Amino acid sequence: MEATTAPSTVPVESTESKTIADLLPKAAAKYADRVAVKYKDKASGGWRDVTYREVGEIVSEAGRGLIDLGIQPGDRVSLLASTRPEWTYADFAISTAGAVVVPIYPTNSPEECEWVAGNSESVAIVCEDASQVAKIAQVRGNLPHLRHVIVIDGSGDVGDALTLDELRERGRGRDEAELLARAEAVKPEDPFTFIYTSGTTGPPKGCVLSHDNYRKILTSVEQLGTLGVEEDDLIYLFLPLAHAFALLIQLVAFDVGTKIAYFGGDTKAIVGELAEVKPTY
């Protein structure tokens, strides 16, 4: 009988973060001038690049803004938006501030949004635009823990929602050391994200995933080459970031210092965008 051997591991460049909370600050420092994000500029129709240093600045300002709003370590913050760069910025800002990310599918009804935000006892929610803010406005009376609504795209009727730009402006008034201290204080066993099931057998149930869980998965897939993502790759991402697999792709990309091109939001334009950016993944 042939002996079987375990898959060999290969050295992989990574941030060597201990949790997801300190991953982005380390990536911004380590890969500073590399391109982290590519996105379609709706005004010009061209693709714009954002470096790791620039992403680090955005996330730092947003994270400090969350602290300024009174978000405490361990607080849950919901994220109701489609796959776009700002989803990633908000995700890392929440984690770096020591809070817990609670993704909500952007296709959810107001009642489904209410269940996830309410069941998780989210104290804040980041919405994509006026249409998503409207869903929360319909059910806000049933969300006693919800104190803040933040909106990425502030055009239209967003009520009293704070825009992401305004959140970043608030963050600039606080010391960056305060945010870094928050990130360093996060322990591997602390919850990183609650990902809710589809609810096919009843109300969706929140799966609590720790920082250690995702950190060890990152290390595993990087060393074994399971995903095949390397530094020189260009990832084209259109899968929903509210789902565990797309989130894994995002985290691996930032951990190894590669770049993500985010689809422009229209599924009918995906084929054309693939021809434009020529992704390897």
Side-chain angles (χ1 to χ4, degrees):
M1 188 169 80
E2 275 189 32
T4 57
T5 57
S8 60
T9 60
V10 293
V12 176
E13 182 180 30
S14 79
T15 63
E16 299 181 1
S17 69
K18 66 176 183 177
T19 65
I20 305 305
D22 66 341
L23 192 156
L24 195 280
K26 289 180 179 294
K30 186 179 181 71
Y31 310 127
D33 295 323
R34 291 188 198 172
V35 174
V37 166
K38 295 178 73 72
Y39 69 93
K40 195 74 175 283
D41 182 35
K42 290 181 171 57
S44 68
W47 290 85
R48 297 191 61 180
D49 293 344
V50 186
T51 66
Y52 272 87
R53 179 183 288 107
E54 290 169 330
V55 172
E57 291 171 356
I58 294 168
V59 169
S60 175
E61 290 170 358
R64 285 178 279 158
L66 291 173
I67 292 174
D68 198 61
L69 287 181
I71 303 300
Q72 298 297 315
D75 278 350
R76 272 75 69 191
V77 178
S78 288
L79 184 45
L80 175 60
S82 304
T83 294
R84 54 188 291 168
E86 293 86 355
W87 198 106
T88 297
Y89 304 156
D91 178 47
F92 278 124
I94 295 164
S95 297
T96 307
V100 182
V101 183
V102 184
I104 303 178
Y105 285 105
T107 52
N108 277 12
S109 68
E111 292 73 25
E112 290 168 330
C113 293
E114 176 192 339
W115 170 256
V116 176
N119 183 258
S120 64
E121 298 183 350
S122 290
V123 300
I125 184 166
V126 179
C127 296
E128 182 167 14
D129 53 23
S131 66
Q132 300 294 1
V133 170
K135 293 180 185 178
I136 301 305
Q138 286 185 49
V139 298
R140 193 165 182 178
N142 300 326
L143 298 171
H145 296 279
L146 188 65
R147 302 195 303 268
H148 306 286
V149 177
I150 301 156
V151 63
I152 294 168
D153 178 358
S155 60
D157 183 9
V158 296
D160 62 353
L162 187 73
T163 67
L164 183 58
D165 286 342
E166 290 170 338
L167 180 73
R168 291 175 58 189
E169 181 60 36
R170 290 184 66 144
R172 293 184 192 112
R174 300 191 76 103
D175 191 340
E176 189 173 359
E178 188 176 9
L179 181 67
L180 295 177
R182 283 278 190 101
E184 287 298 322
V186 173
K187 300 180 177 63
E189 62 269 23
D190 289 342
F192 156 53
T193 185
F194 295 176
I195 294 184
Y196 277 75
T197 65
S198 58
T200 52
T201 58
K205 299 170 182 64
C207 179
V208 180
L209 299 171
S210 69
H211 284 267
D212 198 39
N213 179 299
Y214 255 101
R215 180 59 263 181
K216 285 183 174 173
I217 291 175
L218 291 182
T219 301
S220 175
V221 299
E222 289 164 7
Q223 291 182 346
L224 297 177
T226 309
L227 292 178
V229 175
E230 299 177 356
E231 173 195 330
D232 295 331
D233 278 324
L234 170 60
I235 298 168
Y236 179 81
L237 187 62
F238 65 91
L239 296 174
L241 278 166
H243 188 274
F245 182 67
L247 179 58
L248 176 61
I249 296 294
Q250 172 199 275
L251 293 175
V252 168
F254 277 83
D255 199 37
V256 304
T258 193
K259 48 193 172 292
I260 299 176
Y262 292 74
F263 90 122
D266 181 1
T267 55
K268 294 178 181 178
I270 287 176
V271 173
E273 290 179 356
L274 288 172
E276 290 172 0
V277 299
K278 299 178 175 59
T280 58
Y281 193 96

